[in-house]
Amino acid sequence: SLVWLPKTQEIEKGETTFLNQQAKTIKYTRITPLYSQTWKYVFVILNNNFYSIYLSSETKDFDKNLIVFDQILSTFKFLE
C-alpha cells in the first residue's frame, strides 16, 4: 500500500531480484522549498517473512548513492 505517501510525490514502481527472489521496488522524490530527497525501497518476502530495505539521499546525490546501495545489496546472503 502506498497510502502513506503524500499525494504530491513522484512515484516509480518496479521489480528487481534480491537474494534470488522477485522483489518489488518503489522510488519516490519529495521536493520542498528547502530540499529535495529521494527514497528507493526494496520489498521482498522470504520464508513467509516480509523485508523492506531502503536508501534515502538528497536527490542530487541519489544516482551516485544508488550505485553503492546496489553493490551492498548484491553482497547480502540469507542465512537460516
Side-chain angles (χ1 to χ4, degrees):
S1 173
L2 302 177
V3 295
W4 51 275
L5 285 175
K7 300 295 183 219
T8 59
Q9 304 302 318
E10 294 179 30
I11 299 176
E12 177 185 309
K13 299 177 194 176
E15 293 187 6
T16 190
T17 302
F18 179 63
L19 298 172
N20 298 318
Q21 299 292 320
Q22 284 295 106
K24 301 289 184 183
T25 62
I26 297 173
K27 177 180 164 189
Y28 70 97
T29 300
R30 181 175 185 203
I31 301 170
T32 73
L34 299 176
Y35 68 92
S36 175
Q37 189 162 359
T38 300
W39 290 262
K40 180 176 181 179
Y41 283 82
V42 177
F43 302 104
V44 66
I45 297 174
L46 293 168
N47 299 330
N48 293 321
N49 293 308
F50 177 81
Y51 297 92
S52 171
I53 301 167
Y54 73 94
L55 165 68
S56 174
S57 175
E58 287 188 41
T59 300
K60 67 180 178 66
D61 297 324
F62 185 80
D63 289 337
K64 175 181 67 173
N65 293 331
L66 183 59
I67 292 169
V68 175
F69 179 72
D70 288 339
Q71 288 174 338
I72 292 168
L73 290 183
S74 72
T75 68
F76 280 33
K77 182 177 179 182
F78 186 69
L79 303 174
E80 293 188 51

